[in-house]
Amino acid sequence: MPTAPVFTEPVRPVTASGVPLLGNLPEFARDPLAFFTRLRDDHGDMVEWRLGRQRCLFLSRPDHVGELLGGAESTFEHAKMPPTFLLLHGEGMVNSKGDEWRRKRALVQPAIRPRQVRSYARTMAQCAEEFAEGLTVGERLDVRRSMLKLTQRIAVRTLFGTDTAEQEATVARTMDVAQREVGAELGGFASMVPGWAPTPGRRRLKAAIAELDAEVLRLIREHKGTAGEREDLISRLLTARDEQGRSLTDREIRDEAVTLYIAGHETTGTTLTWAWYLLSGHPEVRARLVAEAREVFGDRFPDHDDYPRLTYTQQVIKETLRLYPPVWLVYGHATDRSTVGGVRIPAGSRVYASPWVTHRDPRWFPDPETFRPERWTEEFDAVLPAHAWFPFGGGPRACPGARFALVESALVLATVARRFSLHVDPGALPAKAALTLQPAKNVLGTVTTA
Ligand code: HEM
């Protein structure tokens, strides 16, 4: 059996030339995916570049990526969130570091472990069935919007434990407004206005967060009496205790539930969108996926126990995440203890790695631009270097929701695909690097029979 490559040759950073004062900023801002790909192609695996005066390093070799991700919370400092995120996320684990982050992660992670994901799977399949029930052959739809609505419904029900359509609608609506306004603050004009200025967007954001908080805190209070009997995330967090026996406060539960919602719903909805797009261009893959779904589910209602048997569907999702990793960039700040490949990295440098670039490297993925789920055999997995495929990051800060996302994507795709196909209109669909990797235009399609 072939073995994984061993990296022995030393690597020295090469500097990519930029323009005076701005460094590589113009090229980075224009098209970050093309920029990072060019850095790797033209300069190699470890490249120094500048974002204005900020010294940066770009890594593309899997072992180096592993050193960066593995060093989070020790030799590297984890990326900081923009201040506007704080308004919505609050003190959720994404915004914490050190002991505070460790405590929160230890309290929250058990609630989304594989055993717990089992109980969420029923809601995932139920929402997918409800979605499929509402489809008609020949209907036109916006595939991305439909998938985001579906993963939003799953997130609201599994995380917040809503019981009524009204509660569900309030959480979904206020989250939509809040996320839109936070997004607007990240780029464009709003980001240049001083933080204290009450712009119309910020007023909308604050109003949406106030309404969201009132609803979520009401749900937390309601769930207190029945927490041991319910299986939603809020109920699990209500019974979680740290090593000193301390529980999370209501505010902390709110912050973690909102954080998981934001981290999980759009990433998974976008993965499903790219999956439908890729399936639409590869009828042979779609036919195999449909055959598997029909064989595994039969006429029954899908369940978590079906997940391990959906092996081809899992390969389709893995390959989709390889070509279109929603989190397309990860980074950390170098400290005075940071090294990569034996090279000392100057403290304060920003060190980046991109799944987009490493996942499309022919050294790890032959014929990298081709969508080929069949490549994901056990033998291929065994020789693939660690961190050559890292859509969920890695190291201590790796995505705690990876299992949740993989089970959800596979169950939703197979549940819908056994009856219908969401056939995306032919034509190229370029990717654009926003906060997550997004299709650069609307993803319109037609419902067809499976
Ligand atoms: C396809 C879907 C998903 C992808 C591609 C994804 C990817 C990632 C990545 C790459 C990170 C690490 C970021 C970094 O190192 O800077 C991360 C962190 C995180 N993800 Fe996910 N994620 C997905 C779904 C989910 C879901 C469903 C949940 C929750 C149910 C979730 C919760 C989180 C949280 C809370 C963190 C922060 C962890 C920490 O700071 O310790 N993610 N995710």
Side-chain angles (χ1 to χ4, degrees):
M1 190 196 263
T3 51
V6 179
F7 299 101
T8 47
E9 70 282 20
V11 176
R12 294 270 157 247
V14 174
T15 306
S17 60
V19 295
L21 294 174
L22 296 175
N24 307 93
L25 177 65
E27 199 188 342
F28 167 74
R30 208 166 34 246
D31 184 350
L33 300 175
F35 170 64
F36 285 126
T37 306
R38 187 184 73 73
L39 285 191
R40 197 265 326 272
D41 290 349
D42 291 358
H43 301 286
D45 287 323
M46 190 187 282
V47 190
E48 259 178 3
W49 60 287
R50 282 194 308 116
L51 202 49
R53 295 180 57 192
Q54 173 68 52
R55 185 201 284 257
C56 304
L57 194 69
F58 181 66
L59 307 172
S60 54
R61 215 169 83 175
D63 56 330
H64 296 160
V65 174
E67 285 187 63
L68 168 66
L69 296 173
E73 295 302 315
S74 54
T75 51
F76 286 94
E77 253 181 47
H78 192 252
K80 293 181 185 69
M81 288 288 151
T84 35
F85 267 59
L86 292 173
L87 279 173
L88 181 56
H89 278 271
E91 302 289 321
M93 78 168 97
V94 182
N95 284 327
S96 316
K97 53 183 192 174
D99 289 343
E100 199 43 40
W101 164 77
R102 256 181 285 281
R103 169 177 175 264
K104 288 178 177 161
R105 180 124 183 170
L107 279 162
V108 176
Q109 198 157 358
I112 42 177
R113 282 225 178 95
R115 197 142 52 91
Q116 273 62 36
V117 172
R118 266 192 96 76
S119 63
Y120 303 136
R122 196 151 190 87
T123 308
M124 294 169 181
Q126 201 168 354
C127 291
E129 283 279 56
E130 281 170 24
F131 170 76
E133 284 296 323
L135 296 175
T136 326
V137 171
E139 180 188 340
R140 297 281 295 157
L141 81 177
D142 181 324
V143 177
R144 178 167 174 268
R145 280 181 57 184
S146 307
M147 287 300 104
L148 289 179
K149 251 183 124 160
L150 176 52
T151 54
Q152 177 176 62
R153 171 163 289 182
I154 293 172
V156 173
R157 287 195 194 166
T158 54
L159 303 180
F160 298 101
T162 49
D163 289 323
T164 65
E166 205 185 342
Q167 290 171 332
E168 198 175 304
T170 307
V171 176
R173 178 175 46 77
T174 51
M175 277 287 196
D176 279 348
V177 176
Q179 282 194 278
R180 194 168 56 241
E181 297 303 338
V182 169
E185 288 273 336
L186 285 179
F189 178 67
S191 60
M192 291 175 227
V193 181
W196 49 262
T199 61
R202 286 176 190 161
R203 272 201 291 271
R204 283 193 294 274
L205 174 62
K206 287 197 171 139
I209 292 178
E211 203 187 336
L212 170 73
D213 287 0
E215 188 64 52
V216 173
L217 291 169
R218 193 167 31 243
L219 284 164
I220 294 173
R221 276 197 304 277
E222 275 176 27
H223 289 12
K224 274 188 181 157
T226 52
E229 301 148 30
R230 297 181 60 117
E231 295 193 315
D232 54 87
L233 178 102
I234 283 187
S235 298
R236 290 200 163 116
L237 295 187
L238 276 166
T239 52
R241 298 289 177 269
D242 65 15
E243 284 171 352
Q244 282 79 43
R246 284 176 305 165
S247 51
L248 290 157
T249 63
D250 289 4
R251 184 71 209 177
E252 285 176 325
I253 293 177
R254 175 265 176 223
D255 288 352
E256 295 306 336
V258 168
T259 294
L260 293 182
Y261 171 94
I262 295 170
H265 125 74
E266 194 190 302
T267 41
T268 313
T270 309
T271 303
L272 283 162
T273 307
W274 287 116
W276 287 116
Y277 163 67
L278 290 165
L279 290 176
S280 303
H282 296 82
E284 71 296 348
V285 175
R286 183 161 65 92
R288 213 178 139 184
L289 184 129
V290 172
E292 176 178 87
R294 288 188 174 153
E295 191 196 318
V296 170
F297 298 148
D299 293 328
R300 280 184 303 106
F301 193 81
D303 201 335
H304 183 272
D305 289 342
D306 295 318
Y307 176 71
R309 297 170 57 214
L310 293 169
T311 50
Y312 189 66
T313 312
Q314 289 181 42
Q315 286 172 276
V316 169
I317 298 296
K318 265 190 116 164
E319 183 71 344
T320 303
L321 286 167
R322 181 182 73 78
L323 283 170
Y324 297 104
V327 179
W328 59 279
L329 192 66
V330 291
Y331 81 93
H333 293 268
T335 66
D336 51 13
R337 298 178 306 285
S338 305
T339 57
V340 174
V343 177
R344 183 164 288 287
I345 312 300
S349 307
R350 280 196 200 175
V351 185
Y352 292 84
S354 169
W356 172 273
V357 175
T358 303
H359 289 184
R360 287 169 184 253
D361 190 326
R363 287 175 293 177
W364 331 121
F365 299 97
D367 198 7
E369 303 294 326
T370 304
F371 174 62
R372 191 150 40 82
E374 287 75 11
R375 74 171 80 232
W376 289 99
T377 59
E378 273 181 31
E379 294 74 26
F380 180 71
D381 252 339
V383 296
L384 190 66
H387 304 107
W389 184 80
F390 62 111
F392 295 107
R397 285 272 187 166
C399 177
R403 174 76 179 192
F404 189 113
L406 289 171
V407 171
E408 177 178 356
S409 310
L411 277 185
V412 167
L413 196 62
T415 302
V416 177
R418 81 166 153 172
R419 293 168 60 188
F420 298 105
S421 171
L422 309 188
H423 199 79
V424 176
D425 294 351
L429 187 58
K432 121 180 140 205
L435 199 56
T436 54
L437 190 76
Q438 294 293 333
K441 55 179 188 173
N442 288 344
V443 189
L444 302 177
T446 307
V447 179
T448 62
T449 46

